[in-house]
Amino acid sequence: MDKFIIKGGRRLMGEVTISGAKNAVVAIIPAVILADSPCVLENIPEISDVSISLRILYEMGAKVENLGGGTYRIDATGIKEPVVPYELARHMRASYYFLGTLLGKFGRARVAMPGGCYLGDRPIDQHLKAFSCLGAECSLENGMVDIHADMLTGAQIYFDKITVGGTINAILAAVRAVGMTVIENAAKEPHIVDLANFLNSMGANIMGAGTDVIKIRGVRSLKGTNYAIIPDQIEAGTYMVAAAATRGNVLVKNVIPKHLESITAKLLKIGVNVEEFDESVRISVDGPLVKTSIKTMPHPGFPTDMQPQFSTLLCLAEGTSIVTEDIFNNRFRYVDELRRMGADISVEGRVAVIEGVGRLMGAPVTAPDLRAGAALVIAGLAATGITEIDDIYHIERGYENIEQKLRALGADIERRSVPGTTARKRPVQA
Ligand code: EPU
């Protein structure tokens, strides 16, 4: 297993280009199954969640061709059995998107239930509710979710809780159902809009994605398409925070500034300069950083996927900051690691109280999950001395070429293999 060794204290300077969005691509790759001819996907990031998604398709019978430069041609017409066994599904929580897409295409699906999660409870009751509204019967047997429908029929689906995954699965299952589906209290994340745009370019009829009411008029068939994935707003936000934490000056390129609004607003609030251009943002710092309060919320609120990175930045700000995690009930697991680097954070339930300490000190730490791992990288870049981060396979799930990108910005970061530790633990959250 590899680790990162970071010699901290260098300002990040220069330009970084953001890759395709992980959370869009893990929905769009399974959605290719719905097409009756091949699709070409561009701007696919080289991250392990993508390799896993593509491998699931391949093992099920799809042809997957890497055309280079982040472009893949996928022909899923060879898939005949709508089954994703545990061996394939267990590597990635988002494999539950195969439920919606296989149900939409074949009228039935058997997919291994997603396993436990590092971030806390992650039930899929709302996904199953959406499938039943459309006329499917769902059961759980031997760890497999089994769904089938004689006919999927458009329906009214009201989510009791805003859910990104549930909204995506409802869209995937409804897109070829007979008649009109109306999803209410839908999630509004940019990757939901991206999925809808992708499906519409295949011939679907989806309106309102990006608002809390999504209307889907079912179509009989969908054809292959060429589609470029949107940039990853969480990767962008992570580099924005890294630039701020090292008091650097970085142009973050290939972004959609609108998707970054809640992150930009908080950075401005704590004293970071953010200049917006058409497809890039420049981050710089020339004064003190000051405390703030953050509460994570569904889009367009402050994203939970930026909470650990921001909390790290707030350790370096003056004053007492309050961070409330309102989406997941176990997303402060990185706090113990940050404390080892000199952070002063106390956690009570879903609330963290962060006393600004001005500086962090390098230490050996372990990445507990993807975004927490990114937060520890930021901490290491800003800290004095050397930080060694273990279990970086978590980080590789969602950040393409992170060490190369950081090195190009002047960071002193290297990857080191730890002999005799080749067996990987398997991540299950996404
Ligand atoms: N929830 C339910 N029932 C459900 C579904 C969700 O109670 O049927 C609850 C969850 O337990 C959670 C809340 O609703 O408390 C929100 O969960 P949501 O379904 O929105 O999250 P998700 O679809 O499981 C996606 C991202 C996460 C991101 C969240 C929130 C993907 C593949 N994953 O998860 O991404 O944190 O939305 O924005 O899109 C990450 O990228 O690091 C990551 C964890």
Side-chain angles (χ1 to χ4, degrees):
M1 230 179 300
D2 292 354
K3 56 165 76 177
F4 283 144
I5 314 286
I6 302 175
K7 199 186 264 178
R10 291 187 176 203
R11 292 183 171 188
L12 297 186
M13 310 290 279
E15 300 181 355
V16 61
T17 301
I18 297 309
S19 305
K22 169 183 93 76
N23 287 345
V25 92
V26 294
I28 287 176
I29 289 176
V32 165
I33 292 176
L34 290 161
D36 294 330
S37 50
C39 290
V40 174
L41 301 180
E42 295 167 28
N43 205 27
I44 300 284
E46 226 178 277
I47 52 176
S48 58
D49 272 13
V50 162
S51 327
I52 294 166
S53 307
L54 291 173
R55 194 176 137 226
I56 294 176
L57 277 184
Y58 173 79
E59 298 279 343
M60 291 174 78
K63 285 188 199 137
V64 179
E65 211 179 328
N66 183 351
L67 304 180
T71 302
Y72 285 81
R73 184 175 186 278
I74 305 171
D75 180 354
T77 55
I79 295 180
K80 302 291 178 225
E81 262 308 294
V83 178
V84 183
Y86 177 65
E87 250 328 284
L88 292 174
R90 75 191 178 106
H91 300 305
M92 190 183 66
R93 228 191 122 71
S95 52
Y96 55 38
Y97 290 143
F98 284 91
L99 281 171
T101 193
L102 291 169
L103 179 64
K105 174 77 177 253
F106 296 99
R108 61 200 170 91
R110 254 172 82 75
V111 178
M113 176 85 176
C117 177
Y118 304 107
L119 308 182
D121 301 332
R122 290 179 81 177
I124 59 163
D125 56 302
Q126 297 300 305
H127 303 230
L128 301 182
K129 171 179 169 172
F131 298 145
S132 355
C133 289
L134 295 168
E137 279 182 35
C138 311
S139 59
L140 178 69
E141 216 175 87
N142 300 329
M144 302 288 282
V145 182
D146 205 323
I147 310 180
H148 61 93
D150 293 336
M151 187 170 84
L152 288 171
T153 314
Q156 197 92 4
I157 301 169
Y158 181 87
F159 282 119
D160 304 322
K161 181 160 198 170
I162 298 177
T163 155
V164 172
T167 303
I168 288 178
N169 253 334
I171 294 173
L172 292 169
V175 80
R176 285 172 67 151
V178 177
M180 178 74 108
T181 296
V182 180
I183 304 173
E184 290 180 83
N185 203 24
K188 296 181 275 201
E189 268 69 3
H191 34 286
I192 287 171
V193 179
D194 207 37
L195 173 73
N197 288 341
F198 168 69
L199 292 168
N200 282 343
S201 77
M202 284 165 50
N205 187 347
I206 304 169
M207 294 153 289
T211 74
D212 55 8
V213 181
I214 300 177
K215 294 187 177 161
I216 304 164
R217 191 175 290 285
V219 294
R220 288 174 80 96
S221 65
L222 293 168
K223 60 182 184 329
T225 184
N226 269 36
Y227 193 80
I229 311 295
I230 51 164
D232 193 313
Q233 92 264 27
I234 303 300
E235 187 197 14
T238 301
Y239 283 99
M240 291 162 80
V241 171
T246 60
R247 303 185 69 80
N249 187 324
V250 173
L251 186 67
V252 183
K253 293 178 11 179
N254 188 35
V255 300
I256 299 172
K258 176 108 188 105
H259 293 172
L260 301 171
E261 270 173 357
S262 60
I263 299 166
T264 298
K266 281 296 170 192
L267 285 173
L268 289 170
K269 185 106 192 280
I270 67 172
V272 177
N273 306 318
V274 185
E275 280 174 90
E276 278 184 15
F277 306 99
D278 286 348
E279 292 180 359
S280 57
V281 288
R282 179 174 292 285
I283 303 299
S284 62
V285 178
D286 48 29
L289 300 180
V290 292
K291 68 184 168 99
T292 193
S293 296
I294 286 178
K295 186 171 185 190
T296 63
M297 279 188 266
H299 190 80
F302 189 88
T304 174
D305 294 345
M306 283 302 300
Q307 181 262 102
Q309 303 89 315
F310 237 87
S311 296
T312 303
L313 181 61
L314 292 173
C315 292
L316 304 166
E318 289 171 8
T320 307
S321 299
I322 310 284
V323 174
T324 308
E325 172 54 56
D326 228 15
I327 305 290
F328 293 115
N329 57 10
N330 191 21
R331 209 165 196 176
F332 286 122
R333 295 190 326 136
Y334 60 91
V335 163
D336 283 340
E337 303 299 307
L338 279 185
R339 283 197 193 115
R340 311 186 65 248
M341 300 179 71
D344 181 350
I345 307 178
S346 51
V347 177
E348 182 97 23
R350 287 175 175 249
V351 179
V353 179
I354 303 173
E355 301 291 345
V357 289
R359 79 186 182 111
L360 294 169
M361 293 164 297
V365 290
T366 301
D369 62 63
L370 167 61
R371 307 303 174 188
L376 293 173
V377 170
I378 293 170
L381 293 169
T384 51
I386 293 178
T387 298
E388 288 189 18
I389 306 177
D390 262 318
D391 286 0
I392 61 170
Y393 66 88
H394 287 296
I395 302 170
E396 289 163 342
R397 291 188 39 237
Y399 291 91
E400 183 175 50
N401 292 336
I402 188 168
E403 74 267 34
Q404 288 90 333
K405 287 187 183 187
L406 286 171
R407 265 207 298 272
L409 291 172
D412 187 339
I413 174 169
E414 66 171 271
R415 171 188 296 262
R416 195 170 292 168
S417 294
V418 185
T421 56
T422 46
R424 285 185 157 205
K425 288 183 206 160
R426 295 303 183 183
V428 287
Q429 116 271 7

